[in-house]
Amino acid sequence: MQGSSCPQSISTKRQRIAEISRQAPDLIWTTLAYRMDEEWMEEAYHRTRKGGAAGVDGMTSKEYAGESGEKLGANLRDLLKRARDGRYWAPPVRRVYIPKGEGKELRPLGIPTFEDKVLQRAATMILEPVYEQDFLDCSYGFRPKRSAHEAIRRLHQGVMSMSGGWLIEIDIRKYFDTVDHGKLAEIVRERIRDGEILRLIGKWLNAGVLEEGRKTYSETGTPQGGVISPMLANIYLHKVLDLWFEKEVKPRLQAQAFLVRYADDAVLCFASERDARRVMEVLPKRFEKYGLKLHPDKTRLLEFKPPSFGERETFDFLGWTHYWGKTRKGQWVMKCKTMRQRMARALKRMNQWMKLVRHQEIEKQQEALEDKLKGHYNYYGVSGNSKAIKSFYYQTERLWRKWLGRRSQKAKRNWKWFAQLLQTCPLPQPRIKVRLYAA
């Protein structure tokens, strides 16, 4: 395989699919899968994350490709042939549990096989150029060249343009576990009727979960841990919420309104209280029509206006708490800060990690800490959140000194020693990385 020519040829194919989909929004695709050739599969392999845990077959990415990549070509050709012939068998997803939040509650995590991830990536590369022409601007999650920061920026701009308003926070109960397979298939068939693609999606939806040697199946939910899961979830909510709000709801409203959605997290914003209450009444029925349920406590309507117009409310969205604060000139503006629960969770993970690696070389710990802190700053280092990221940095410093002090009871690990250590092994200082509110 000639890897160097792969990206350009694949890009051309995807651009052609996108162009046709954009020019013919009512077109139903009956032939798509034939575009998946050996080059396409190789590109899908390169786009698949290599460091994840192994699935039910125990095979890692290195074993799949071979020590020097000698097995990759043959394995990808065999995978493509099985997919085309209808002989591909979607293996069950291996289920493991990871801690959820601050308590002892565990969250299930699905781990597909590496080969399954590659094929799902190949299918996603087919679906993406089609649906990117259909998806609306209000959707930001798991889409190319879109991010949570852009979603927050749009939310801020919309709320500020209305000088505040009435907001509906939408919380869907176990969304990724409750997507109705039958209704999802109907929605996909509105745009795609390629038998090979539909057959693969059906196999992934019905692959089941393997836990402690027991295999279970469900008629709802997107593939756990699957590469294609975010795409299918977006397709579903595009129909359930985005299109409905844009085509059916907004034309009936009296005043300005907009929607911001990131995957299954969404906020509806209204300039009119009457409009907001009317939509709040019909929302549960709309979601129930597609087998989804809104959380009765977390889905709420609130008045979000500067304090001079009413009570000072806050709400959480995408890891930030949004609130009204004053600028240096004394003007009320919408601001955001790291959610308290997210901060506590991040520090808990940091503490657990430091405990595990406390006996490793300090230089290695410093390198890993640098990556972790930079990752935190890249997401939470937004305009107006400097206090929170500084707090995260200082708490991280204290945790590091604590666990380094437990490496040996003989060595002194006081603050003076630690200050000298930071001179030779410095940690990255907190920085604002994203100017959310820039024009």
Side-chain angles (χ1 to χ4, degrees):
M1 290 187 177
Q2 298 298 320
S4 59
S5 63
C6 178
Q8 185 175 358
S9 62
I10 300 306
S11 177
T12 301
K13 290 181 182 179
R14 282 163 51 86
Q15 287 175 4
R16 180 57 180 159
I17 296 172
E19 182 182 350
I20 295 173
S21 298
R22 183 168 54 253
Q23 293 176 350
D26 296 326
L27 172 69
I28 298 176
W29 286 90
T30 57
T31 54
L32 269 176
Y34 77 91
R35 290 169 168 82
M36 292 196 300
D37 53 19
E38 292 183 29
E39 285 187 337
W40 191 284
M41 297 303 294
E42 185 179 12
E43 178 65 9
Y45 165 81
H46 289 307
R47 294 188 183 195
T48 301
R49 182 171 172 262
K50 307 300 190 298
V56 294
D57 62 356
M59 182 171 289
T60 65
S61 59
K62 289 184 178 180
E63 292 171 334
Y64 188 79
E67 287 296 329
S68 57
E70 73 279 359
K71 297 180 181 179
L72 181 60
N75 282 337
L76 291 179
R77 284 190 293 273
D78 178 63
L79 175 60
L80 178 60
K81 191 174 189 307
R82 283 182 284 136
R84 284 181 169 172
D85 295 345
R87 294 183 294 107
Y88 180 75
W89 171 69
V93 172
R94 182 168 70 89
R95 176 177 284 171
V96 296
Y97 291 87
I98 60 174
K100 179 181 180 180
E102 303 173 54
K104 296 182 180 180
E105 186 179 357
L106 297 176
R107 178 169 67 89
L109 182 68
I111 305 176
T113 65
F114 179 76
E115 183 178 62
D116 203 45
K117 292 179 184 177
V118 173
L119 188 55
Q120 287 192 35
R121 175 62 66 190
T124 302
M125 288 164 55
I126 282 279
L127 296 175
E128 190 175 78
V130 174
Y131 282 100
E132 272 302 305
Q133 316 314 310
D134 298 347
F135 291 158
L136 304 182
D137 287 341
C138 63
S139 168
Y140 292 87
F142 305 111
R143 294 182 60 188
K145 299 181 180 179
R146 285 177 168 246
S147 67
H149 293 140
E150 290 184 0
I152 297 301
R153 185 178 290 114
R154 171 67 185 100
L155 179 63
H156 174 271
Q157 292 172 345
V159 170
M160 290 299 296
S161 70
M162 297 190 304
S163 299
W166 283 263
L167 275 58
I168 297 177
E169 290 182 80
I170 293 179
D171 187 282
I172 308 172
R173 273 186 166 177
K174 299 181 179 180
Y175 172 63
F176 288 90
D177 296 330
T178 55
V179 171
D180 185 281
H181 290 176
K183 292 188 181 299
L184 174 59
E186 291 177 8
I187 294 172
V188 172
R189 285 179 65 84
E190 292 176 3
R191 193 63 152 128
I192 294 175
R193 294 185 188 171
D194 182 299
E196 186 175 324
I197 298 296
L198 294 177
R199 185 167 57 245
L200 284 173
I201 292 175
K203 289 181 177 181
W204 286 318
L205 291 175
N206 295 292
V209 173
L210 188 66
E211 181 179 359
E212 296 181 350
R214 181 187 176 190
K215 191 175 180 180
T216 57
Y217 299 91
S218 175
E219 296 181 356
T220 61
T222 56
Q224 283 198 13
V227 175
I228 202 170
S229 185
M231 171 59 70
L232 297 178
N234 263 341
I235 292 172
Y236 205 68
L237 277 183
H238 169 71
K239 174 77 171 185
V240 176
L241 180 60
D242 302 356
L243 273 181
W244 172 73
F245 186 74
E246 186 67 28
K247 303 296 183 181
E248 298 184 37
V249 175
K250 286 178 69 175
R252 294 177 170 86
L253 300 180
Q254 294 180 333
Q256 180 184 356
F258 67 94
L259 160 68
V260 177
R261 180 175 68 83
Y262 189 96
D264 61 326
D265 291 322
V267 176
L268 299 173
C269 308
F270 304 85
S272 164
E273 180 182 6
R274 182 172 180 271
D275 287 341
R277 294 193 179 279
R278 287 172 60 199
V279 174
M280 185 67 176
E281 288 180 5
V282 300
L283 265 180
K285 296 179 182 178
R286 175 64 183 179
F287 279 85
E288 286 172 6
K289 180 180 177 181
Y290 289 88
L292 302 174
K293 291 185 178 180
L294 298 178
H295 196 292
D297 300 323
K298 296 180 181 180
T299 298
R300 63 176 184 134
L301 171 64
L302 69 147
E303 183 180 6
F304 189 71
K305 291 191 174 184
S308 56
F309 291 99
E311 295 184 4
R312 188 171 182 175
E313 283 272 16
T314 67
F315 68 97
D316 298 330
F317 185 56
L318 300 184
W320 289 284
T321 295
H322 303 269
Y323 65 99
W324 288 100
K326 283 191 174 182
T327 65
R328 293 179 180 177
K329 295 182 179 179
Q331 297 176 327
W332 287 106
V333 295
M334 180 180 172
K335 295 185 175 183
C336 65
K337 59 184 177 182
T338 309
M339 282 175 55
R340 180 181 60 82
Q341 298 93 326
R342 293 291 182 92
M343 175 75 83
R345 190 187 310 170
L347 288 172
K348 181 179 179 179
R349 287 198 299 264
M350 187 72 80
N351 184 65
Q352 292 171 338
W353 173 79
M354 288 180 181
K355 180 180 179 180
L356 290 174
V357 304
R358 65 186 183 276
H359 293 299
Q360 290 184 3
E361 295 179 7
I362 291 179
E363 290 75 12
K364 288 186 177 180
Q365 293 187 43
Q366 186 269 342
E367 290 178 3
L369 268 175
E370 184 174 358
D371 291 338
K372 292 178 181 293
L373 285 170
K374 285 182 177 179
H376 189 87
Y377 302 156
N378 286 340
Y379 190 77
Y380 290 106
V382 301
S383 307
N385 198 33
S386 58
K387 182 177 179 180
I389 60 173
K390 286 179 180 177
S391 175
F392 185 79
Y393 171 81
Y394 292 135
Q395 293 293 334
T396 299
E397 267 194 349
R398 283 158 175 73
L399 288 173
W400 198 26
R401 191 199 72 84
K402 180 186 78 171
W403 288 111
L404 288 178
R406 298 185 182 184
R407 286 160 61 98
S408 171
Q409 295 182 356
K410 296 181 180 180
K412 292 184 177 180
R413 298 290 190 260
N414 54 29
W415 280 106
K416 182 178 180 181
W417 170 85
F418 187 65
Q420 293 174 345
L421 171 67
L422 290 178
Q423 295 296 318
T424 55
C425 294
L427 297 179
Q429 296 294 311
R431 290 182 58 191
I432 297 299
K433 307 289 288 186
V434 180
R435 300 293 173 181
L436 273 184
Y437 312 134

